[in-house]
Amino acid sequence: AEHQHARYNPLRDDWVLVSAHRVKRPWQGQLEKPPPEDVPRWDPNNPLCPGATRANGEVNPQYEGTFVFPNDFPALQPNAPEPGASDHPLFRAAAARGVCKVMCFHPWSDLTLPLMSLAEIRAVIDAWAELAAELGASYPWVQIFENKGAMMGCSNPHPHCQVWASSFLPNEARLEDRTQRQHLSQRGVPMLLEYAEQEARRKERLVVENADWLVVVPYWATWPYQTLLLPRRHVCRLQDLREGERDSLASIMQRLLIKYDNLFEVSFPYSMGWHGAPTGPYLEEDCGHWQLHAHYYPPLLRSATVRKFMVGYEMLAQAQRDLTPEQAAERLRSLPEVHYKRRAM
């Protein structure tokens, strides 16, 4: 807790430098603007709102729950041509095909996940699982991810996420596939199932838990208040969750996200995403080394206006953090589970 040291991340097979004393240094760097508090509930000019016209001229339906539509500016398209043959091994290219979808969580623009009801969050989880199964029937990888807040590159405050399905396994998926496969071969148990059992027993990095799930600041966390959401039983894919597990997932997500917002009393920015066993052709293979999990990567470090930058040493050497995961977990764990906007209600 007092001296710098390195911690190993078995999921990525790399290391992070922990320098807890650096959080005490004075900050004279960039200050971020807090997110706006006056987002209109409905804006006819917001392309994600019900009834609004999007960039391609299509008009959204008057949806009342979740709403999924093809991304108007997709990074992946299903009919991309094959790249030409390479004339040198240092200049290789490969085919990249897929589909990109956008999913609105709720018709109201001023409502984020921690302020939604459990039933509304459960509807989001069901839509995630449905998309994972639908797209996973054809594509090897389905990446569900949410960028929340302008600080994380989100250009629209309306509560939404993206779903990209690809004809290939992305870098992080290939890496996690290798490390989890290796761990199962060596220890006879899925890595993140064993890890969840250890963290549930040790409790020093535990943030919230219930009968089916637990959230920890991982031992190897890179971002200041990074968390890892894990099921207690062995589950390979999001669509494999039982009814009760989906209900308890809605609950633990709400509790975690309320704590995030309460940390600096601001709509907490983050990038999050689900990782589970590959799909498509992998559905016929044994993927028992995989364990479903969600990563949350929030950038804020000291306050609502001071973020952690991944530059310099982090880009050229290895990841580095300014407080220990145990300190971050203790701070998150101690926060109330009533949202700061609703304490006076």
Side-chain angles (χ1 to χ4, degrees):
E2 298 295 331
H3 303 286
Q4 67 267 18
H5 60 281
R7 296 191 183 191
Y8 180 63
N9 180 347
L11 195 58
R12 301 197 74 258
D13 189 24
D14 63 10
W15 293 80
V16 57
L17 174 63
V18 182
S19 310
H21 57 284
R22 277 172 54 85
V23 79
K24 300 175 184 177
R25 75 191 194 281
W27 181 257
Q28 295 180 318
Q30 178 172 319
L31 298 179
E32 308 291 337
K33 291 183 178 179
E37 296 282 350
D38 56 347
V39 176
R41 179 156 292 182
W42 183 82
D43 180 354
N45 297 314
N46 185 328
L48 297 186
C49 282
T53 302
R54 303 203 307 274
N56 63 358
E58 292 192 23
V59 178
N60 296 334
Q62 295 291 343
Y63 66 92
E64 297 181 352
T66 59
F67 170 52
V68 179
F69 62 92
N71 194 314
D72 297 327
F73 303 96
L76 292 163
Q77 296 178 326
N79 300 314
E82 290 279 349
S86 172
D87 62 354
H88 193 282
L90 294 179
F91 300 93
R92 291 189 295 168
R97 300 185 180 94
V99 296
C100 299
K101 294 182 179 290
V102 176
M103 187 180 108
C104 296
F105 296 153
H106 196 279
W108 295 355
S109 292
D110 60 342
L111 204 63
T112 56
L113 278 172
L115 293 170
M116 289 167 56
S117 70
L118 289 177
E120 290 166 338
I121 299 173
R122 168 63 196 266
V124 170
I125 293 166
D126 287 340
W128 281 343
E130 183 178 341
L131 280 171
E134 174 192 332
L135 297 173
S138 305
Y139 289 99
W141 189 255
V142 180
Q143 184 59 65
I144 298 168
F145 65 97
E146 179 194 3
N147 295 325
K148 179 173 178 252
M151 201 180 298
M152 298 308 290
C154 182
S155 60
N156 193 312
H158 193 96
H160 71 285
C161 73
Q162 298 189 56
V163 184
W164 293 11
S166 61
S167 61
F168 55 90
L169 289 187
N171 294 340
E172 293 297 312
R174 287 191 291 109
L175 182 57
E176 288 194 5
D177 185 72
R178 175 176 65 80
T179 58
Q180 290 180 97
R181 188 184 299 275
Q182 184 177 27
H183 186 94
L184 180 64
S185 174
Q186 293 175 346
R187 295 187 56 83
V189 61
M191 177 198 294
L192 292 180
L193 184 62
E194 181 177 13
Y195 179 67
E197 292 170 349
Q198 286 288 320
E199 290 287 30
R201 180 174 61 82
R202 296 169 185 256
K203 296 192 181 300
E204 56 190 330
R205 284 169 295 275
L206 191 66
V207 178
V208 287
E209 64 178 330
N210 60 28
D212 299 314
W213 301 87
L214 68 157
V215 175
V216 300
V217 177
Y219 177 79
W220 53 80
T222 299
W223 294 92
Y225 292 97
Q226 175 180 333
T227 55
L228 185 63
L229 172 57
L230 295 162
R232 292 183 185 270
R233 78 170 177 98
H234 187 202
V235 184
C236 287
R237 300 178 177 94
L238 195 61
Q239 54 268 43
D240 298 334
L241 292 175
R242 300 165 179 160
E243 287 290 313
E245 290 169 333
R246 295 186 185 197
D247 287 336
S248 57
L249 175 56
S251 173
I252 205 164
M253 282 176 54
Q254 185 189 62
R255 293 169 64 195
L256 169 65
L257 297 179
I258 286 175
K259 284 180 177 288
Y260 270 158
D261 280 10
N262 284 345
L263 179 60
F264 298 128
E265 295 198 347
V266 68
S267 185
F268 209 68
Y270 59 75
S271 284
M272 71 80 64
W274 285 99
H275 282 174
T279 48
Y282 295 91
L283 292 170
E284 305 301 320
E285 298 184 8
D286 181 4
C287 290
H289 54 291
W290 271 89
Q291 174 74 330
L292 176 70
H293 58 283
H295 297 282
Y296 285 84
Y297 298 134
L300 292 179
L301 172 60
R302 297 164 180 249
S303 69
T305 60
V306 177
R307 66 175 297 174
K308 165 70 176 176
F309 286 92
M310 292 293 181
V311 295
Y313 190 86
E314 291 88 353
M315 296 176 69
L316 297 166
Q318 71 180 36
Q320 180 270 334
R321 61 179 291 118
D322 291 345
L323 75 165
T324 67
E326 293 75 24
Q327 291 167 335
E330 182 179 12
R331 187 165 183 188
L332 288 173
R333 189 169 53 242
S334 65
L335 291 166
E337 294 187 7
V338 176
H339 198 278
Y340 72 93
K341 288 186 176 180
R342 292 179 170 166
R343 285 180 200 157
M345 297 173 63

